[in-house]
Amino acid sequence: MTVTDSKGSQVIIHCDMDAFYASVAELDDPTLRGKPVVVGAGIRGVVLSANYAARKFGIRAAMPVGRAKRMAPNAIFVSPDHHRYSEISAKVMEIFASFTPFVEPLSLDEAFLDITGAQRLLGTPREIGEAIRKRVHQECGITCSVGIAPNKFIAKLASGHCKPNGLLEIKEERIITFLHLLPVSDLWGVGPKTAEQLERLGLRKISDIANTPLETLKRALGDATGEHLYELSWGRDQRDVIPDEPDQSISAA
């Protein structure tokens, strides 16, 4: 259950490790720092993570390793070490839990934190976010990006827009200004098929969806999807932070 302060508003943080697998490789082998690093095994395997130097060549997670090697033949390719990733992830999650008991891991390298009730003891949302980033770097040797907002959807968007190694706070009064300039593909739940449907409707920015009548969206996309995207287009997300165990997946951050 989400905890709210005396004013009834909640504060959610989304913490996302930067290029997690590649960052752990650099942590364990400092000679890799500053070089393009790609984590992925075998020519027929797929890229699990690429650091930001490698991404400049267009390399992305889920790309075939063989293709990545053609794109950046001088990049350093390392094999994954899942035991090590789990070890670092456990330390990161312990740090999160020291700030609030309301931690919802999404994968080994990211989580939502409800810090609403922590503010009186630990400071402003920005101060808490910076403290988390500092401890992750000092105690785990890697960096994370932190998004802060009144709900999970906007917090996750914020962390994605301050990568790598940044912090972005979107307060209630800034949500619409921030959100409506973004492409529809940034909406939670919009995959390639839905994006294609929205493109056919001439809906390219989130503001386009927000300014389309709800009934029109329902007719075009179905009741559930239409209402879901309409609510998100106005920055509304009622999901609580639910403490749980990580699902052992990894994001492409």
Side-chain angles (χ1 to χ4, degrees):
M1 192 70 163
T2 298
V3 178
T4 55
D5 62 18
S6 58
K7 295 181 181 179
S9 60
Q10 64 178 4
V11 182
I12 307 299
I13 281 181
H14 180 256
C15 291
D16 198 357
M17 302 303 108
D18 299 314
F20 182 55
Y21 281 14
S23 293
V24 173
E26 292 179 31
L27 175 66
D28 292 344
D29 183 358
T31 65
L32 296 177
R33 289 175 181 162
K35 301 173 184 177
V37 176
V38 181
V39 178
I43 294 293
R44 301 192 181 197
V46 297
V47 172
L48 298 179
S49 180
N51 69 2
Y52 291 89
R55 294 183 193 190
K56 291 179 180 178
F57 295 92
I59 297 173
R60 296 289 183 271
M63 175 182 291
V65 169
R67 181 182 173 194
K69 287 188 173 182
R70 291 193 296 272
M71 295 172 74
N74 294 323
I76 299 169
F77 288 77
V78 299
S79 297
D81 184 345
H82 295 285
H83 176 76
R84 182 67 169 140
Y85 305 145
S86 295
E87 180 183 19
I88 297 293
S89 175
K91 291 180 181 179
V92 169
M93 297 300 167
E94 282 181 13
I95 291 172
F96 294 164
S98 72
F99 286 86
T100 172
F102 299 97
V103 178
E104 180 182 347
L106 301 178
S107 61
L108 290 176
D109 68 335
E110 64 175 318
F112 285 115
L113 291 72
D114 186 333
I115 61 162
T116 310
Q119 295 176 81
R120 287 181 185 170
L121 286 177
L122 302 179
T124 67
R126 180 172 288 273
E127 288 170 339
I128 294 172
E130 290 291 8
I132 291 171
R133 293 179 62 243
K134 182 177 181 180
R135 282 192 56 191
V136 168
H137 187 248
Q138 289 180 338
E139 298 176 29
C140 301
I142 58 177
T143 64
C144 67
S145 297
V146 168
I148 307 171
N151 62 54
K152 293 166 81 170
F153 170 55
I154 302 298
K156 186 169 172 64
L157 276 181
S159 70
H161 279 77
C162 66
K163 280 187 160 293
N165 194 22
L167 181 148
L168 178 60
E169 181 179 9
I170 305 295
K171 295 185 177 181
E172 188 79 45
E173 62 270 19
R174 286 187 55 215
I175 287 178
I176 300 304
T177 302
F178 167 72
L179 186 60
H180 280 192
L181 294 175
L182 302 178
V184 294
S185 57
D186 278 2
L187 288 172
W188 168 52
V190 173
K193 183 178 179 181
T194 304
E196 186 178 322
Q197 288 179 290
L198 294 171
E199 174 71 26
R200 285 200 299 267
L201 294 169
L203 306 178
R204 298 175 179 85
K205 290 185 177 181
I206 293 177
S207 59
D208 296 332
I209 292 179
N211 293 314
T212 299
L214 176 57
E215 291 307 314
T216 301
L217 292 173
K218 286 183 175 181
R219 282 196 300 272
L221 304 170
D223 287 356
T225 300
E227 185 163 359
H228 169 71
L229 296 186
Y230 184 79
E231 288 295 303
L232 290 183
S233 75
W234 286 104
R236 296 191 282 261
D237 179 8
Q238 302 301 318
R239 293 174 299 160
D240 288 337
V241 170
I242 303 173
D244 199 359
E245 293 299 319
D247 62 12
Q248 305 306 310
S249 67
I250 188 75
S251 79

